[in-house]
Amino acid sequence: MAGRPADSLLGPDDPVPFEVFNAAGNSPFLLIGDHAGAAVPRTLGNLGVAPGEMDRHIAIDIGVREMGKALARLLDAPFVHQVYSRLVIDCNRAPARDDAVPIVSDGSRIACNENLTDAARTARIEAIHTPYHSATAALIDARAAADRPTILLSLHSFTPRIDGTDRHWDVGILHWLGNTAFAHALRDALTENDDIIVGDNVPYCMDETDYTVPFHAFGRGIGYAEIEVRQDLIGDPDGRHSWAVRLSQAARRASTQLNGF
């Protein structure tokens, strides 16, 4: 399942702004990937970034797309994921925020994002940000109308080193407001594994800078967790499969503990 709005930013040769993998998944879990893609609309060229920058963490959450699909299969869950790079428009930021279209990311200048007109910014929001979130909301609402429970799992990955500092956690579970019970249960289930280091609201802390989970989960009162896996652990197929298995087992334990399913 995929979707493409009619707009002037995305041409016929550009990919659709989001994809839904395993749309008919029947479990209570709904997976999302705000930064799973690295595509750039052809009209924006290479965003003015240096060669190789689009392969870095500043442009994409490395490993999330493939790990998300593996996790979706294991959990029998839909996986809605963004196709375009966070450097085009960051779908985990409110569209009005300055950092939704970053000018600098981890020291790298994004030249194409400088001096962006209101019209150009609006085009990115309408072509990419809005369709992705509309599709996510529609899935959640359809499940609610069918009296099906939803646990929202937001999948991300983080760079092992930033600003000269090593990040020693293997995985972090992020949470803030709303129904945090599942996030806490998932954190605790992962902590049962003695061979990994689990962070609680690290290496990032969910707060007002986050958009997706607060927008979709808090007001609806549904369970959620934002999952951050260190990128060097899911940089190859074996690592992605291993973490998909680990996360699926922990998610099922947490869900059974809380909800009986």
Side-chain angles (χ1 to χ4, degrees), residues 43-121:
T43 56
L44 301 183
N46 66 354
L47 291 176
V49 303
E53 293 287 77
M54 297 305 295
D55 297 326
R56 295 183 58 220
H57 71 94
I58 64 170
I60 184 173
D61 274 359
I62 295 166
V64 161
R65 181 176 179 270
E66 297 82 1
M67 182 188 73
K69 288 186 174 183
L71 183 57
R73 293 187 190 98
L74 290 167
L75 290 176
D76 188 27
F79 175 37
V80 187
H81 64 87
Q82 183 50 250
V83 170
Y84 285 90
S85 172
R86 64 196 301 175
L87 298 181
V88 178
I89 181 79
D90 191 330
C91 286
N92 194 31
R93 296 292 181 268
R97 286 181 59 96
D98 288 343
D99 57 356
V101 183
I103 296 172
V104 176
S105 183
D106 193 19
S108 295
R109 175 188 171 212
I110 319 301
C112 190
N113 291 349
E114 296 175 349
N115 304 312
L116 203 65
T117 66
D118 289 343
R121 183 186 184 95

Side-chain angles (χ1 to χ4, degrees), residues 5 13 29 43 63 66 69 73 76 142 166 171 183-184 218 221 226 243:
D13 296 327
F29 299 102
T43 56
E66 297 82 1
K69 288 186 174 183
R73 293 187 190 98
D76 188 27
D166 290 327
V171 62
H184 296 161
F218 289 3
E226 186 165 322
W243 271 92

